[in-house]
Amino acid sequence: MPQAPADFTPDLIRALLRDQHPDLAGLPLSLGARGWDNQLWRLGDELAVRLPWATESADELLLKEHAWVPGLAADLPLPVPVPQRLGVPSERFPRSWLVTTWVPGEPADRVPATRAEDAADALAGFLTALHRPAPAGAPAGRWRGGPLAPYAEHFEHSLGQVAERGLAPDPDGIREVWADAVAAPDWEGPALWVHGDLHAANVLTADGTFCGVIDFGDLFAGDPACDLSAAWALLPDGAVDRFHAAYRPAPDVATLRRARGWAVLRAMGGLLVADDGDRGLPNGKSTWGPPARRALERMVASVGR
């Protein structure tokens, strides 16, 4: 969970730029977003500054992006924030930070995709391009991407929480989706590049479809089912089947079953974060609720298909 957030001001960020990247210090600066790990400040028209602010692991995630994303970005069909400069710890700010490209668009938790076919094709095309064999030394997943069975205790805890708060209309249906996913064979293919955190706040929309993907801090090599789970929450009604048909290579049944398991875990987490937001608690995000509820309803309805 996030720690006590840092206090950032435009003056601090300009001072950091003057110290380490003075050619950028005069560009217009404005707050873009406060994320789970980082704050994002827009810098001029084409750049952004990302600074860790609320989790101890944020530094490591930014350094991972700096190391790996530039080599992936050119082959991806949707824009992604590409690291341009690295900020190193200093007396003024004792953590690493990044200057990246700015990706325009609205987060899908606030402005969902509405053009079903275009959105399904865009998401499938992006993941088809991303999911290629990762090299030796690629990072491992951070609490995701491997077999689902070790997450049984986490599933039970999350389901208990959403049921206790009255957020799950069909706990038995959710349990059935999870049981089916856990029973599916594990991934036996090569370790593929996986974004790892494709929830609705990390995918951008414009004109009814997807126009960008952000926050590659959880990038890892592993089972693509973790990313394929995103279709349940991100796509308009009736588009999941088209997404599965457009993704290449065509996913086997076991992979789709595991994807539903990852989607269940993410959706329950989204419900809890949204409920915290509805109650005015720190780090709550009310906008995470609608995509999470939509995902659970779809998955429960899909059991047995």
Side-chain angles (χ1 to χ4, degrees):
M1 292 294 293
Q3 310 298 313
D7 183 20
F8 295 140
T9 65
D11 289 343
L12 170 63
I13 297 170
R14 286 199 186 282
L16 291 173
L17 290 168
R18 281 196 301 269
D19 290 345
Q20 300 189 32
H21 304 288
D23 57 314
L24 304 179
L27 294 174
L29 184 67
S30 60
L31 178 63
R34 292 183 174 93
W36 194 259
D37 294 296
N38 304 295
Q39 278 195 22
L40 180 72
W41 289 72
R42 188 166 185 179
L43 183 64
D45 293 331
E46 299 180 353
L47 298 174
V49 180
R50 293 182 64 202
L51 306 100
W53 79 303
T55 59
E56 294 181 357
S57 62
D59 309 60
E60 176 186 349
L61 304 185
L62 288 178
L63 291 172
K64 183 201 299 186
E65 292 189 49
H66 183 262
W68 294 102
V69 172
L72 295 172
D75 295 324
L76 300 177
L78 293 177
V80 303
V82 182
Q84 304 293 302
R85 310 278 186 92
L86 177 64
V88 299
S90 65
E91 291 184 4
R92 199 180 297 275
F93 183 63
R95 307 183 70 174
S96 299
W97 49 281
L98 288 179
V99 177
T100 73
T101 55
W102 171 263
V103 181
E106 296 295 330
D109 62 322
R110 298 179 180 275
V111 183
T114 55
R115 291 161 46 198
E117 293 185 356
D118 290 339
D121 291 347
L123 183 61
F126 176 81
L127 291 180
T128 294
L130 176 64
H131 291 168
R132 57 182 187 265
R142 186 178 65 144
W143 312 311
R144 63 195 71 170
L148 283 164
Y151 297 89
E153 183 176 349
H154 175 62
F155 169 81
E156 294 294 344
H157 177 76
S158 297
L159 183 58
Q161 288 288 304
V162 297
E164 180 181 332
R165 299 192 199 186
L167 305 175
D170 189 355
D172 290 338
I174 294 172
R175 190 178 297 280
E176 187 175 356
V177 173
W178 174 254
D180 178 73
V182 172
D186 293 337
W187 175 251
E188 295 183 350
L192 305 182
W193 277 123
V194 177
H195 179 281
D197 202 21
L198 284 179
H199 59 74
N202 283 341
V203 181
L204 305 180
T205 65
D207 300 322
T209 189
F210 302 123
C211 66
V213 177
I214 61 175
D215 195 349
F216 281 72
D218 277 303
L219 181 73
F220 68 90
D223 179 359
C226 183
D227 278 355
L228 297 179
S229 68
W232 294 103
L234 293 176
L235 293 173
D237 289 339
V240 171
D241 287 343
R242 183 181 178 99
F243 164 79
H244 291 157
Y247 175 81
R248 292 292 182 271
D252 59 28
V253 173
T255 297
L256 296 182
R257 291 166 65 191
R258 293 194 307 276
R260 285 195 306 198
W262 287 112
V264 160
L265 291 178
R266 185 176 297 285
M268 290 194 296
L271 288 180
L272 295 172
V273 171
D275 186 56
D276 286 348
D278 292 343
R279 293 190 289 165
L281 298 178
N283 307 306
K285 300 177 186 294
S286 296
T287 56
W288 289 25
R293 285 189 289 271
R294 184 166 60 244
L296 287 175
E297 290 169 0
R298 291 169 171 171
M299 285 185 287
V300 169
S302 76
V303 173
R305 287 179 52 191

